Amino acid sequence: MMEWMLVALGAIIIVALSIYAGRLVFLVKAQNSRHLAARSKRIESMTTSIQTIAFAVEQQQCDLSEGAIRICRLLEAMPIDPLPDHAKVYPALHSLFDKVKNYPTHDARQALSKKERREQDKERGQFESELESAILEEVKILKHYNAS
């Protein structure tokens, strides 16, 4: 009699653990599904931003330097795997980005003397004029960018 009670107790424990494991599997699948949905939404949002900035650069509503910085940062933060080598696909944008990414902005720029700001503006203007036509060709492509 005692043996049957132990077998029944063991069966109950196994069933309870199976139900618990099934629930955990369901929760992990639901979490993965939410994660994929959030990732897709982020990719969509970033893609729209890239397209909008590219359009603004093409329409001269955004400086080439600012556009290059914003687009390159978005491209490098794109949550896709494997991440394409955007520097090879958009070399002019990345070239300008590499040249101006360390320039001070906002308060740090205001802290510079007028002479230093003029020198940086002149240097940035030279970089932009050297790469302008190539960048404009690249933003035409980026207006239709699709991360997938």
Side-chain angles (χ1 to χ4, degrees):
M1 178 82 169
M2 184 69 153
E3 293 171 349
W4 287 107
M5 287 177 55
L6 290 176
V7 169
L9 179 62
I12 291 172
I13 290 172
I14 290 172
V15 169
L17 288 175
S18 297
I19 291 171
Y20 181 67
R23 184 173 183 274
L24 289 178
V25 168
F26 173 77
L27 291 174
V28 167
K29 285 185 178 182
Q31 182 181 19
N32 286 343
S33 178
R34 287 191 306 271
H35 175 73
L36 288 174
R39 182 178 168 271
S40 293
K41 187 174 180 179
R42 178 167 164 81
I43 289 171
E44 182 181 327
S45 173
M46 292 173 76
T47 297
T48 300
S49 293
I50 289 168
Q51 293 168 345
T52 302
I53 295 165
F55 182 78
V57 170
E58 184 184 49
Q59 298 296 313
Q60 297 179 343
Q61 298 171 349
C62 177
D63 292 335
L64 293 177
S65 296
E66 181 180 353
I69 290 169
R70 290 175 184 264
I71 289 171
C72 291
R73 293 280 188 215
L74 285 166
L75 289 172
E76 70 186 19
M78 190 67 68
I80 54 178
D81 190 34
L83 190 63
D85 187 357
H86 291 111
K88 285 185 180 178
V89 180
Y90 310 107
L93 274 168
H94 279 78
S95 177
L96 181 58
F97 171 71
D98 286 337
K99 292 176 181 178
V100 300
K101 68 182 175 187
N102 294 321
Y103 280 15
T105 60
H106 307 298
D107 292 336
R109 178 173 164 76
Q110 292 304 316
L112 297 174
S113 70
K114 287 184 180 185
K115 181 181 178 187
E116 289 173 314
R117 281 194 303 250
R118 274 194 307 270
E119 287 173 5
Q120 282 187 354
D121 289 345
K122 182 180 175 184
E123 190 175 68
R124 186 174 56 250
Q126 288 173 340
F127 296 149
E128 288 178 353
S129 66
E130 291 170 8
L131 297 165
E132 182 176 13
S133 61
I135 288 174
L136 291 176
E137 289 302 315
E138 290 176 6
V139 295
K140 284 181 186 177
I141 297 166
L142 284 165
K143 286 190 326 184
H144 307 289
Y145 178 78
N146 189 354
S148 17

